[in-house]
Amino acid sequence: MDYRKQFFVSPDKKLKLAAIDPAHTAGHASSEEALPAIQKNVARMAELQALLYADGNQSLLVVLQALDAAGKDGVVRHLFSGMNPQGTSVFGFKQPSAEEAAHDFLWRAHKRTPARGEIVVFNRSHYEDVLVVRVHNLVPKPVWSGRYELIQDFEKLLVANGTRILKFFLHISPEEQLARFKQRLDDPARNWKISEGDYSEREFWSDYVEAYEEALSKTSSKDAPWYVIPANHKWFRNLAISQIITETMEDMGLKRPATRVDLKEITAKYHAAEVEQAKRNGKG
């Protein structure tokens, strides 16, 4: 199934999240059934990341956005942990520091974008500045509404510099969110995740939905697509995202770079060194 086509947010029509079932699994019956495909995708992602790093001409930016407990951390843990840390990094966007707040809203995001050869995952992102600030009236409407175009220009600049962009909204129901909050209460290993904001932010659910619907519709494009991923089932979330990333990276035409040295000359040097080492060992 072509998840890139199925979950793509079209910029040509208004997005209605209520029309998308967060429990959708595209006909897959269980996590056990989906696991082999997920493992295959994750292994392939690691192979492609190695090629991306070696090639050094392109990069990949993955943006994860969601309401609380939708699974952003889980996506990072399950899908990216097998990649080489030398060419992969994750950055979580929290409340801006004093230094960050003193700059334009894209400054802190631009500092974290991937260099050529790298994959960077944004756990939350520059989109917080058209979501949280809108819902909580932190800046006037003319300010946050003007940021959609600035975000589009920012992402066009990244694309022009060789960066592929994939943006995922993890779509869960309020019932599923509450069930995950209970898991945090019941599991001592997860207690640290609990915050007062978990419940206070639930009061703004409809406001966040409205903000996401507009932000995703206005900033999705062919080169910087948004995908709404049904995320009530964690395993399906992982399946869909891993497949989209894998297929996108395969489309990047990644190849191992040509050898930069004369292999015959290097082979001769190796054999000479091997002979010299044998002589030293013999002396010992």
Side-chain angles (χ1 to χ4, degrees):
M1 186 169 291
D2 188 350
Y3 294 137
R4 287 192 291 182
K5 182 177 181 180
Q6 183 177 3
F7 299 136
F8 173 65
V9 175
S10 173
D12 301 324
K13 59 183 180 181
K14 182 173 174 57
L15 173 66
K16 296 299 294 182
L17 288 173
I20 301 172
D21 181 6
H24 176 74
T25 61
H28 295 281
S30 66
S31 59
E32 290 77 16
E33 178 191 318
L35 183 59
I38 296 171
Q39 292 174 330
K40 180 180 178 181
N41 289 340
V42 170
R44 182 59 177 152
M45 285 168 56
E47 293 173 355
L48 291 165
Q49 184 254 337
L51 289 178
L52 178 72
Y53 184 77
D55 183 59
N57 289 312
Q58 300 180 73
S59 59
L60 177 66
L61 173 63
V62 176
V63 174
L64 302 175
Q65 286 285 159
L67 293 165
D68 291 334
K72 299 182 300 299
D73 291 342
V75 170
V76 172
R77 183 171 63 255
H78 290 290
L79 303 188
F80 294 93
S81 59
M83 291 186 175
N84 187 341
Q86 190 169 9
T88 310
S89 60
V90 180
F91 183 76
F93 285 79
K94 302 183 184 299
Q95 184 174 348
S97 66
E99 181 185 22
E100 290 168 342
H103 290 80
D104 68 89
F105 81 99
L106 288 169
W107 182 75
R108 65 175 182 160
H110 209 156
K111 289 201 321 178
R112 302 292 181 173
T113 56
R116 292 184 181 91
E118 293 181 345
I119 293 177
V120 170
V121 181
F122 281 179
N123 187 335
R124 299 192 186 275
S125 68
H126 46 296
Y127 282 92
E128 294 295 292
D129 290 283
V130 292
L131 296 166
V132 174
V133 298
R134 169 179 174 167
V135 170
H136 290 285
N137 298 310
L138 299 180
V139 298
K141 181 176 180 178
V143 174
W144 61 254
S145 62
R147 289 175 174 173
Y148 297 128
E149 185 174 356
L150 295 173
I151 287 173
Q152 288 178 298
D153 289 340
F154 168 62
E155 292 176 350
K156 287 178 181 177
L157 174 62
L158 297 181
V159 171
N161 196 48
T163 299
R164 289 291 183 104
I165 302 174
L166 294 174
K167 301 176 291 189
F168 299 100
F169 172 69
L170 312 185
H171 181 38
I172 63 170
S173 65
E175 294 82 7
E176 177 62 21
Q177 185 194 59
L178 199 59
R180 295 184 186 183
F181 284 170
K182 185 177 187 303
Q183 291 174 350
R184 291 179 179 181
L185 283 170
D186 295 343
D187 183 357
R190 300 184 186 184
N191 286 172
W192 67 273
K193 288 189 172 185
I194 298 172
S195 72
E196 291 289 344
D198 291 344
Y199 299 92
S200 61
E201 289 297 278
R202 272 179 65 86
E203 298 176 10
F204 299 95
W205 187 282
S206 60
D207 295 324
Y208 272 110
V209 167
E210 183 179 349
Y212 268 110
E213 287 175 341
E214 184 170 5
L216 271 59
S217 295
K218 288 195 171 183
T219 60
S220 186
S221 66
K222 178 182 177 182
D223 291 328
W226 271 110
Y227 299 99
V228 175
I229 305 297
N232 272 12
H233 297 284
K234 298 175 182 179
W235 56 268
F236 181 73
R237 171 202 73 198
N238 294 340
L239 174 63
I241 292 176
S242 64
Q243 182 169 316
I244 290 171
I245 293 175
T246 298
E247 291 177 351
T248 299
M249 294 186 72
E250 286 178 340
D251 288 347
M252 293 171 71
L254 301 170
K255 298 179 181 178
R256 288 185 178 83
T259 304
R260 297 180 176 87
V261 297
D262 185 329
L263 285 179
K264 289 184 178 180
E265 181 180 343
I266 294 298
T267 300
K269 289 182 178 180
Y270 166 76
H271 287 308
E274 188 179 34
V275 170
E276 182 62 27
Q277 187 64 50
K279 289 180 179 178
R280 292 175 181 175
N281 291 343
K283 289 180 179 180

